[in-house]
Structures are given as C-alpha cells and as structure tokens.
Amino acid sequence: MQHSLNIPEAWRASGGPSQEEQDQFIDGAIKSLSDPQQVGQFEQNVEEVGVWANEVDAAFDRVTRGFMDMVAKNGKDFPELYTFLADWKTYNARWVALLLLSRNVASEQISILQRFDKVFLDLIVTIKTDQDRLDAITELQSFIDEDHSQSGEMAQGFLNLKNDIQGFVVRFGAYVAEKGAELEQQAKTLQAEIHVLTTQIVNLDLEILAATAALLAGAEGAATLVGILGVIVAGTTLAVKIAQRFDKSIQLIQKRKELEEVNRKQKALAHLETAFNGLRPDISLICDKLVMFGEIWQSVRSQSVRFQTHLKLGMEAVHEERFNKEIELARDTCAPLQEGLAKYASKLENRA
C-alpha cells in the first residue's frame, strides 16, 4: 500500500535528493539510532500507539452514545438517524476487530524484525567469500517469498475503515443540509399560505360586517352586537360568508399547527447539527490514527529485495560504503521497533 508523498519543489526539479543529501540523511539517522536517549524516544513513539488506541476506543464510545442520544430525541422526526446509527455501530465493530488483529500483527512483526536483523542482515555483514554472497542471495529470496499477508490486510482494513468514516461524515452532513433546506421550504410555503388565509379572513370579516349592517338597516347599532354574537339566518348571503370564514379559520389553525411542527423540527435539526459537530474532533482522531503498522513487513521486504539485487552485482558491491551504511541503518532500526511493538502489544493484552 502506497501513501502519496509531498515532494519538495527543489527535488521535483532535480529528480530527487542528491547523493550527498541521501548520504547525509543516512549518517544522521545512524547517529540518532546510536543515541540511547533518542532510541528510547523512538520506542516510546511506537508504544504511544497503544495509548491512542484506547483514546480512539473512548472516541468511538462518545460518538456512539452521541448518536444514540440523537436517535432517542429526534428519531421520530428524522427516522434516517436509525440507519446512520446502525452504520456507525458497524464501523465500531470493525475497529475493534482490526485493533485485535493489530495486536497479533505487532507480535508477528516483532518476529519478522528479529529474523531480518539477526539472520538475514547478519548473513550479509558476514560475507567473506563469493559462495557466502550466493548463499545470502538464496536465503534472502526465501525470506522475500514468505507470506505475511495478514499485515497488509490489516493496513488495508484500517484504510478502508478510515475512508468509510470520512464518507459517513460527508453523507451525514449532506443529510442535515438536505433536511434543513426541505424544512426551510416547507416553512416558507406555510408562511405564504397563512398570509393568504389571514388576508381572506380579514376580507370576509369586512364582508360579514357589511352584510349584517345591510340586513339590519334601520336597527342602528345592532349590526355590531349581532356580529359579535354570531347570529346566522340560514340561506342568506351572510350565512354563506360566515361559513366561508369558519372554513378559512379552520384551515388557518391547521396551517399554524403545521408551521409550529416545522419550526420544532428546524430547532431539533439545528440541535442535531450542533451535536454532530461536537463529535467531529473524535471522528477526526479516529481517522488520523487508523493506519500504522501494516507497512512494516512491506518495508522489510522491499529492503530485502534491494539488498539482494545489490548482492547480485558481485563481491565488489558487498564492500561498497553506501551499501554497508544502508545495512547498518536497517539493523539499527530493528531493535527500537521491536521494543516499541512489544510495548504496544502489551497495551492491548487485556482486550478480549
């Protein structure tokens, strides 16, 4: 599995670092790996992964509880939340399985690094004859051909999970935005309908008052009192107008209730978005930490291929200074990696 690298601009123009820059880097790395204090820090860096594994566990738990709270409070209004919660629980289960696998892979890679250092790299540094060189080439091939696919599967599993979680964040954000737009349109439509009904009722009130006054011509002042009492005489224009007003009033009450419901959902959605935004840092923590150990075997294997290819050039190649420095650097990285991986595995040893 390859990661995209940000190549410095100067190296892009020149085709990569110069031989001198490469040699300086190797010398600097060897020097760092000969400093006990720095080696201790390197081991601690790997061990720390076990610490953040527990932090990610806690983050998953916070996100899960956050979604369960959202569903409990808003699931009736937004039933799609049940699907989001189910998806998240699936991601959590995959994380737990991959973390357990990483513990096994860490133990396997400790063994790989031990053999890489004490057997295969030792074969190279002890070459005295051409037959020793040929034997080392053969032994390296057997090492290269070993199947350690579990580490690659673990790394790919973490990468897939990271991508799925990032996709989940996008989908949930799109869902909230879509629901928000949908509710906003519903509110606008209801507000327009309420405005129309309110205007119609005001006009009907004026028409009813005018009709009542006309029917009670000569009975000065009675029109207002009769209008207040709502006295209706069947079959008259007044009765029709009053019936229309009653119907419009019922519609207005219903539309106002619908608008209240939409406003309630808008508030719930705003709370939902706020709650989810509060979970984003935890999700980011998970995504940033998922991929770690899967490439160790690939790195060891690629170095073995490189060393084997170099040995095929003959005995003169065995004594090249740059080649021997690369072997020294490879050996120096093995011990702190082994120690760090052992400490990492111990951090997870109590997991079921």
Side-chain angles (χ1 to χ4, degrees):
M1 181 175 51
Q2 298 291 326
H3 291 307
S4 60
L5 299 175
N6 294 319
I7 306 298
E9 196 64 38
W11 290 355
R12 289 180 182 174
S14 63
S18 66
Q19 185 71 43
E20 182 181 359
E21 288 175 313
Q22 293 176 16
D23 290 343
Q24 286 176 351
F25 177 80
I26 292 174
D27 288 341
I30 291 172
K31 184 177 180 181
S32 294
L33 287 163
S34 65
D35 182 343
Q37 186 173 354
Q38 291 197 54
V39 169
Q41 182 60 54
F42 299 149
E43 293 173 7
Q44 186 177 346
N45 291 343
V46 181
E47 180 187 4
E48 279 296 308
V49 181
V51 174
W52 64 247
N54 292 326
E55 291 177 356
V56 172
D57 268 348
F60 259 113
D61 182 61
R62 286 193 296 272
V63 175
T64 301
R65 284 187 285 108
F67 265 107
M68 290 177 70
D69 184 59
M70 289 181 196
V71 169
K73 292 179 178 177
N74 305 300
K76 184 177 180 181
D77 295 326
F78 307 107
E80 297 87 352
L81 289 177
Y82 288 97
T83 300
F84 281 110
L85 176 59
D87 288 347
W88 185 259
K89 286 184 175 179
T90 299
Y91 300 147
N92 196 356
R94 286 166 60 187
W95 160 255
V96 171
L98 285 167
L99 198 60
L100 289 173
L101 178 59
S102 77
R103 182 182 63 186
N104 298 335
V105 168
S107 298
E108 178 188 48
Q109 288 173 342
I110 290 170
S111 174
I112 289 171
L113 289 165
Q114 286 174 336
R115 292 168 55 233
F116 183 52
D117 179 19
K118 301 301 182 182
V119 177
F120 299 102
L121 294 181
D122 192 66
L123 276 174
I124 295 173
V125 299
T126 56
I127 290 175
K128 301 297 183 184
T129 66
D130 195 55
Q131 186 59 49
D132 292 340
R133 178 182 67 85
L134 295 174
D135 290 342
I137 291 172
T138 300
E139 293 300 322
L140 279 169
Q141 187 61 53
S142 68
F143 185 54
I144 291 166
D145 290 340
E146 290 181 8
D147 180 13
H148 296 287
S149 57
Q150 193 177 48
S151 61
E153 291 168 3
M154 182 207 70
Q156 190 61 49
F158 276 132
L159 183 60
N160 291 342
L161 181 57
K162 173 181 176 178
N163 292 337
D164 287 346
I165 290 175
Q166 289 175 332
F168 176 89
V169 171
V170 173
R171 284 191 292 114
F172 188 79
Y175 167 75
V176 171
E178 180 184 348
K179 281 295 177 182
E182 183 182 311
L183 289 171
E184 184 178 357
Q185 184 56 50
Q186 288 178 15
K188 287 180 179 179
T189 300
L190 287 166
Q191 287 166 352
E193 291 174 347
I194 287 170
H195 177 73
V196 170
L197 286 168
T198 301
T199 301
Q200 290 174 341
I201 288 172
V202 169
N203 291 335
L204 283 168
D205 283 341
L206 293 173
E207 291 175 14
I208 289 169
L209 187 60
T212 303
L215 289 170
L216 293 172
E220 189 175 345
T224 300
L225 299 179
V226 170
I228 292 172
L229 292 172
V231 176
I232 303 174
V233 178
T236 64
T237 300
L238 178 61
V240 173
K241 295 294 182 183
I242 290 175
Q244 290 176 346
R245 189 198 187 287
F246 180 77
D247 180 60
K248 297 296 182 184
S249 296
I250 295 297
Q251 291 182 47
L252 181 61
I253 291 170
Q254 181 60 36
K255 293 299 179 182
R256 282 175 173 166
K257 285 182 178 179
E258 290 177 17
L259 182 58
E260 287 177 5
E261 179 66 8
V262 169
N263 289 338
R264 185 187 65 78
K265 287 184 178 181
Q266 284 178 311
K267 290 179 182 178
L269 189 67
H271 173 75
L272 194 67
E273 187 172 20
T274 300
F276 182 68
N277 286 337
L279 301 175
R280 283 178 183 267
D282 290 331
I283 294 174
S284 295
L285 170 66
I286 295 167
C287 289
D288 289 343
K289 300 296 186 180
L290 284 176
V291 181
M292 177 68 183
F293 296 139
E295 293 188 349
I296 289 180
W297 162 244
Q298 291 301 324
S299 175
V300 167
R301 186 180 184 280
S302 68
Q303 287 184 80
S304 299
V305 170
R306 175 175 169 77
F307 296 154
Q308 182 197 51
T309 301
H310 189 82
L311 289 175
K312 290 178 179 178
L313 298 177
M315 284 298 292
E316 288 186 5
V318 173
H319 302 297
E320 286 183 10
E321 182 181 3
R322 168 62 182 271
F323 175 67
N324 282 283
K325 283 187 176 181
E326 289 185 16
I327 296 294
E328 182 181 358
L329 177 60
R331 300 199 78 171
D332 287 348
T333 59
C334 286
L337 268 176
Q338 290 173 59
E339 286 297 318
L341 286 168
K343 291 175 181 177
Y344 168 81
S346 71
K347 294 282 184 185
L348 304 180
E349 65 184 4
N350 293 326
R351 300 182 68 88

